[in-house]
Amino acid sequence: MNCSSRCLLLCLALVAGAVHAQSTVPSATPSPAPELASSAPPIPSATVTELPQNGDGVFGAALFRGRFAAQSFKGFNPAYTISIGDRIDLKLWGAVDFAAILEVDTQGNIFVPRVGPIAVANARNGELNELVGARVRAVYRDNVGVYAALAAAEPVKVFVTGYVVSPGLYGAYASDSLLHFLDKAGGIDLQTGSFLDVRVLRGGQPVARFNLYDFLLRGQLPLFQFQDGDTIVVWPKKSTAKVSGLVHNAGQFEFAQSAPLKDLLAMAGVDQRATHVLLLRNQTPQRQAEYLAIGDGLADVQVASGDEVTVFADRQIATIIATVEGEFEGLSQVALPYDSSLADLMGRVDTNARSNLDGLQLYRRSIAKRQKQVLDQMLRKLEESVLNTRASSVEEAELRVREAELVMRFIERARDIQPKGQLVLPTGTDLETIALEDEDVVRIPRRSNTVAVQGEVFFPSAFVHQPGKSVEYYLQQAGGLTQKASKNRIFVMRPNGEMVEASLGWGGGTKVAPGDEIMVLPKVDTKTFQLTKDLVEVLYQIALSAGVVLSI
């Protein structure tokens, strides 16, 4: 570890235990949105809802990430309305030859030599060629070809304001979409802005209103042609409710005042596995909850601002699936009634002469999860102890830094350990008393004539079992104990998961059976480590839950 890393550890040790105050953001119900005739959005007195600064969890949050702003649309559609400043590519041939790019002047005309001004402003793009052709043929009656098309969209500058991230004046083209301008302004402020109420003002008067949920859910966005000086205004966020659980679009959804629960779930996209909805109401002095089955009845249930909706799959388990591995005959997946025992499972498994039923192993997810939680808690405790260690002198501080380096590297490796979740089945266990759980894994080991040795020995390996031999014999076969080995922490793990503390001695040492595994744990030097007890506990836990010897 370099000098900067040592300094970091020393600083962490000095500041450990400091308490950081957490700030809260006040929330308030937003004011109702004004009618379209109003030209200025109301300003709420406080933040509408408590959300992270990045707006994670808001439906539509991924809409404004620069993709719309990066692309400008200069093309035209047939409904495009020609306006002042547009450029028209005009070509005449036959009785007269003429080719030029003509700009629509402030009077809304283009001027064609020998024809005169032609009014094209406010005409639809799809009608342009016919409009110009009719005017030209009024002068040149015979043998004249006419081709008129828009050459370039009109550059415009549009104000974007209201509840957006970066209000300002942004330049683009008249044919660009509303999303292009909003994206240039950083998008809607996810904490305060509304996706349901975005308006366009022209000359201070509203001319269009957009609901971005129409685009998010159905891909519908009305075409709108911007003019120079238009203003896009994002109104404040309206009512919101959070939807989570078995839905495709989990997050915070917006609605006007209240919304049918059925409509809210339709926007969130309920998973086919879902059966029930938990509705937590937060508008009353006392929090209330409703647990509802998914069905037609949800159309009559209204959701108010601040409510929380969680979608569940609440089914009674009638059948469990157990997996069988190892030495046996037949299928590996077995379906059983919910109340089945390990004996019921084994009654449906065909074993053979190689099956070692005395070493029967049962692995369970819930046990593995709990073992991982316990291990993580112990590692956090050890890490906190390292960072909270105090030193009374510079020499002791340097010693503590070296200790911290070793322990932190050990913790980093230990966090990658995944417990096996084995349920120990002692010899003679009545299998009728072991209730099965869904997704249990039962392993029938093969009869083995070997003994494995791992941990603090010179040559970890597996050896042929020798009848009557004790632990010390196999340790010598593995080259003996290393200097880091602890003679008081040698264990024998049986195939069925039993862990036996071994005693050494040629005459009365612990006898080893075929298939056993000898584990030699490392010694924790009390002169080197202050946290000896915590380290030993972690080593024991790793060996017990994962069958792994981890060195320090």
Side-chain angles (χ1 to χ4, degrees):
M1 184 176 288
N2 56 32
C3 180
S4 61
S5 299
R6 289 192 179 93
C7 293
L8 176 60
L9 285 169
L10 281 172
C11 292
L12 288 173
L14 290 173
V15 303
V19 178
H20 297 279
Q22 296 181 345
S23 61
T24 58
V25 180
S27 62
T29 302
S31 303
E35 297 300 323
L36 185 59
S38 177
S39 60
I43 301 176
S45 59
T47 301
V48 175
T49 184
E50 293 182 4
L51 287 173
Q53 289 299 316
N54 58 7
D56 287 346
V58 175
F59 180 64
L63 192 58
F64 301 109
R65 293 184 175 175
R67 298 184 183 93
F68 292 106
Q71 299 294 329
S72 188
F73 181 70
K74 300 180 182 179
F76 304 96
N77 57 74
Y80 179 86
T81 302
I82 298 171
S83 60
I84 296 170
D86 284 344
R87 303 176 68 195
I88 296 175
D89 183 4
L90 178 63
K91 293 181 174 63
L92 306 178
W93 66 92
V96 60
D97 289 328
F98 179 80
I101 303 294
L102 305 177
E103 184 174 331
V104 180
D105 61 24
T106 56
Q107 302 299 318
N109 302 323
I110 58 172
F111 187 85
V112 180
R114 300 182 182 179
V115 174
I118 303 176
V120 294
N122 299 320
R124 295 174 66 252
N125 180 36
E127 303 169 347
L128 177 63
N129 195 71
E130 182 180 350
L131 175 66
V132 174
R135 182 70 178 83
V136 170
R137 291 188 182 93
V139 177
Y140 298 98
R141 298 182 179 274
D142 298 317
N143 194 27
V144 176
V146 179
Y147 175 81
L150 283 165
E154 176 192 7
V156 295
K157 291 187 181 296
V158 174
F159 294 96
V160 184
T161 186
Y163 294 82
V164 293
V165 175
S166 301
L169 179 64
Y170 296 93
Y173 291 92
S175 53
D176 276 316
S177 71
L178 173 78
L179 298 176
H180 178 81
F181 288 101
L182 288 175
D183 205 9
K184 277 198 164 187
I188 293 173
D189 189 308
L190 297 177
Q191 295 190 60
T192 59
S194 174
F195 280 77
L196 305 184
D197 197 354
V198 180
R199 308 186 189 189
V200 178
L201 309 182
R202 183 168 294 163
Q205 298 300 316
V207 293
R209 184 172 181 174
F210 297 87
N211 181 343
L212 297 187
Y213 273 19
D214 291 337
F215 177 75
L216 286 165
L217 296 170
R218 292 174 288 276
Q220 298 174 356
L221 186 67
L223 294 174
F224 183 82
Q225 184 175 335
F226 288 94
Q227 294 184 9
D228 218 25
D230 282 352
T231 301
I232 298 172
V233 185
V234 176
W235 247 247
K237 181 177 288 187
K238 304 180 188 303
S239 300
T240 60
K242 294 181 181 179
V243 182
S244 60
L246 289 176
V247 292
H248 302 301
N249 300 316
Q252 182 193 83
F253 289 82
E254 184 182 359
F255 46 91
Q257 293 180 348
S258 64
L261 177 57
K262 185 176 181 180
D263 292 350
L264 197 63
L265 294 177
M267 289 191 290
V270 177
D271 191 282
Q272 292 183 351
R273 297 169 294 169
T275 61
H276 290 77
V277 174
L278 175 63
L279 174 58
L280 297 178
R281 298 194 178 277
N282 299 313
Q283 294 296 314
T284 56
Q286 294 180 340
R287 192 177 192 182
Q288 298 178 351
E290 297 180 38
Y291 197 59
L292 308 166
I294 293 178
D296 295 335
L298 297 184
D300 299 328
V301 180
Q302 294 291 315
V303 178
S305 184
D307 287 352
E308 299 175 26
V309 178
T310 308
V311 182
F312 294 95
D314 194 351
R315 293 184 175 89
Q316 295 294 324
I317 299 176
T319 305
I320 60 176
I321 304 297
T323 302
V324 184
E325 299 177 347
E327 193 64 47
F328 72 102
E329 308 292 339
L331 300 176
S332 61
Q333 303 292 320
V334 182
L336 298 142
Y338 178 71
D339 57 353
S340 297
S341 66
L342 183 54
D344 297 327
L345 173 63
M346 295 308 298
R348 298 177 59 174
V349 176
D350 295 328
T351 58
N352 54 44
R354 298 179 299 275
S355 303
N356 178 14
L357 295 179
D358 291 334
L360 191 65
Q361 301 164 3
L362 175 59
Y363 300 96
R364 182 164 289 172
R365 280 192 175 187
S366 59
I367 296 177
K369 183 178 179 180
R370 179 56 185 161
Q371 288 175 336
K372 182 63 174 174
Q373 290 173 345
V374 171
L375 179 58
D376 288 342
Q377 288 172 359
M378 297 174 70
L379 291 173
R380 282 195 297 270
K381 177 184 175 183
L382 180 59
E383 187 175 37
E384 290 172 0
S385 299
V386 171
L387 297 178
N388 286 330
T389 301
R390 297 293 188 266
S392 58
S393 64
V394 175
E395 292 77 10
E396 185 180 355
E398 292 179 353
L399 179 63
R400 297 286 76 83
V401 168
R402 288 194 293 271
E403 173 187 308
E405 292 175 1
L406 295 173
V407 175
M408 295 301 284
R409 284 200 295 266
F410 169 79
I411 291 173
E412 185 177 351
R413 286 182 290 134
R415 283 203 170 106
D416 293 332
I417 298 294
Q418 295 299 325
K420 298 185 295 183
Q422 184 173 5
L423 176 63
V424 179
L425 302 173
T427 303
T429 298
D430 182 3
L431 302 186
E432 288 283 358
T433 64
I434 308 299
L436 286 178
E437 292 184 6
D438 195 31
E439 299 185 349
D440 275 354
V441 177
V442 176
R443 188 174 186 280
I444 305 172
R446 186 185 184 121
R447 292 188 182 276
S448 173
N449 195 35
T450 61
V451 175
V453 182
Q454 68 156 310
E456 295 298 334
V457 292
F458 283 102
F459 306 110
S461 187
F463 306 93
V464 176
H465 177 259
Q466 300 296 326
K469 297 296 185 181
S470 64
V471 169
E472 193 160 354
Y473 168 80
Y474 294 99
L475 293 178
Q476 289 195 353
Q477 294 297 308
L481 303 177
T482 66
Q483 292 182 348
K484 296 174 61 178
S486 173
K487 294 183 179 180
N488 299 323
R489 299 189 185 94
I490 301 175
F491 297 89
V492 177
M493 178 175 282
R494 309 296 186 192
N496 60 4
E498 287 185 275
M499 184 85 78
V500 179
E501 188 171 359
S503 60
L504 301 180
W506 285 100
T510 302
K511 295 299 186 289
V512 180
D516 285 352
E517 184 172 356
I518 300 172
M519 307 173 67
V520 183
L521 270 61
K523 175 173 53 180
V524 181
D525 190 353
T526 57
K527 295 181 180 179
T528 304
F529 298 102
Q530 283 188 331
L531 310 169
T532 303
K533 181 176 179 295
D534 292 338
L535 280 169
V536 171
E537 288 179 353
V538 172
L539 290 170
Y540 275 131
Q541 179 64 28
I542 293 174
L544 181 64
S545 64
V548 175
V549 177
L550 194 63
S551 61
I552 301 177

